[in-house]
Amino acid sequence: MTVKLLNHLEEGPASAPPLLLGPSLGTSYALWDAVAPELSTTHRVVRWDLPGHGGSAPDLIGPGATVGDLAALVLALADALGIERFAYAGVSLGGAVGLHLAAHHPDRLTSLAVICSSAHFGGGAPWRERAERVRREGLEWLVESADARWFTPGFTVPRLVRDHREADPEAYAACCDALAAFDLRDRLADIAVPALLVAGRQDPATPPAHLREIADAVPAAALVELPGASHLAPAQCPQAVLTALRTQLTGPPASGAAVRREVLGDAHVDRAQARQTPFTARFQDFVSRYAWGEIWTDPTLSRRERSMITLTALVAHGHYDELAMHVRAARRNGLTPEEIGAVLLQTAVYCGVPAANSAFATAQRVLAEEDRQDEDGKDEDGKDEDGKDEDGTPGQG
């Protein structure tokens, strides 16, 4: 017997950590169009459609459905895709599904992000009334107010409005039933996974107070409020949502500036910053964030190993000014002069004897400077007083 699954879209490497993204009532997985592709560079992203929305079959749920029923469909999808544990992020009803999973199936989640959602949705009566009217009249009367409910004035996403119009009324009404019955406030303190709560300050459906209520009750919670965002924050403020999710999924960015100082020394970094101009400012920021904040902080290789690789690469390309700087860095990272010599001897085999000859000359000069005390006006980094390398070239590092 074939099990009918929620319609879904997979993005990113199959071997990457899995991340499931849940939609809001009335939308499809297109809600994540501006966010999911960026997240897929580091995660196996699976976005799914609610029953009767997008490409999901309407008969996956029926009248009297619960958020637990939707959560069971999400788990069935994860099981079918061979996903045991996953990070989860969801908007509104999709966020409620995440809260249910965290409270009732904590073994399946690695982290949780609840966006523009609630542990309850203002009582059951309004949702039961909406469900009854949708079953009676269809969705067109609701579609007319979609922009006002979802976005700040003047903003819209036509694709999402179209998805709202094309949703199946019976399945939509069943989702309203689920929202009417949902109240997880008494289980919030039991949620143990790291939880990110994202609120839109202009959200009329789930105001920031709803997210604060969750953040106050969940032990490992962090709250982010987005100015200018309404109910569908991933569509209206995708960059802000992306930044918050990246921090939740991978941790805050490492301090590239601190690592740069540890490896290259305060004197060198101070000089580079003092010489910074509007023309070079973006390059300096790029170096600190990318080279030092992402590559040099990766724990896969030790700093000693990174120094040896860096020395080899600089010799291969003939960057002898940078080589001098990184010979000093290699000493800070624990390499002995003998080990530096062994690295340069290796380059003679694979980069060529002339390149290694120049490299040995540069390294010998730097190592000799270490044994002198500010001779000829040199500072501890072997620079002239004007902050240039001995050949007069200002280094950036």
Side-chain angles (χ1 to χ4, degrees), residues 22-321:
S24 173
L25 177 64
T27 71
S28 70
Y29 62 52
L31 174 60
W32 293 97
D33 276 355
V35 176
E38 297 296 326
L39 294 173
S40 70
T41 61
T42 56
H43 285 75
R44 178 188 178 187
V45 176
V46 180
R47 12 178 186 156
W48 54 273
D49 283 332
L50 288 162
H53 295 63
S56 284
D59 60 354
L60 286 167
I61 59 171
T66 67
V67 170
D69 295 333
L70 295 171
L73 290 171
V74 171
L75 291 179
L77 174 61
D79 291 341
L81 297 176
I83 297 173
E84 177 61 30
R85 302 187 72 227
F86 51 89
Y88 183 90
V91 181
S92 193
L93 178 53
V97 170
L99 287 170
H100 181 94
L101 289 170
H104 296 277
H105 303 277
D107 55 313
R108 300 298 298 269
L109 295 192
T110 57
S111 68
L112 170 66
V114 178
I115 301 170
C116 299
S117 188
S118 182
H120 61 99
F121 287 83
W127 292 105
R128 287 190 292 271
E129 292 171 5
R130 182 187 293 195
E132 180 182 354
R133 186 174 176 186
V134 167
R135 289 186 174 108
R136 186 175 65 249
E137 301 178 20
L139 285 165
E140 190 59 38
W141 65 278
L142 264 176
V143 174
E144 294 173 358
S145 63
D147 283 343
R149 288 182 285 114
W150 287 350
F151 306 116
T152 55
F155 188 90
T156 188
V157 180
R159 164 72 188 274
L160 296 178
V161 177
R162 184 175 73 249
D163 288 337
H164 192 355
R165 177 174 286 109
E166 295 175 354
D168 180 83
E170 287 296 331
Y172 184 100
C175 289
C176 291
D177 292 340
L179 287 168
F182 183 71
D183 190 340
L184 203 75
R185 284 175 287 185
D186 62 343
R187 295 294 304 272
L188 292 176
D190 299 333
I191 295 176
V193 297
L196 168 69
L197 294 312
V198 178
R201 287 192 183 163
Q202 308 302 316
D203 182 358
T206 52
H210 286 236
L211 283 301
R212 292 189 204 113
E213 182 180 37
I214 302 172
D216 288 343
V218 174
L223 173 65
V224 174
E225 295 187 19
L226 304 182
S230 188
H231 192 54
L232 300 188
Q236 186 167 12
C237 302
Q239 193 57 49
V241 172
L242 178 62
T243 299
L245 286 176
R246 278 180 168 160
T247 301
Q248 164 78 352
L249 295 168
T250 62
S255 176
V259 175
R260 189 181 183 190
R261 287 182 177 277
E262 290 169 7
V263 175
L264 299 182
D266 288 335
H268 172 85
V269 177
D270 287 344
R271 276 194 304 274
Q273 292 179 341
R275 293 195 301 271
Q276 180 174 299
T277 67
F279 181 71
T280 64
R282 290 183 63 190
F283 176 69
Q284 287 291 326
D285 178 64
F286 168 79
V287 168
S288 288
R289 285 188 298 105
Y290 182 59
W292 299 107
E294 294 188 26
I295 303 303
W296 276 86
T297 54
D298 183 347
T300 308
L301 299 176
S302 69
R303 288 190 185 175
R304 281 173 48 85
E305 292 166 328
R306 291 192 182 281
S307 276
M308 289 188 279
I309 294 168
T310 302
L311 294 176
T312 303
L314 293 172
V315 173
H317 286 274
H319 298 311
Y320 300 114
D321 297 331

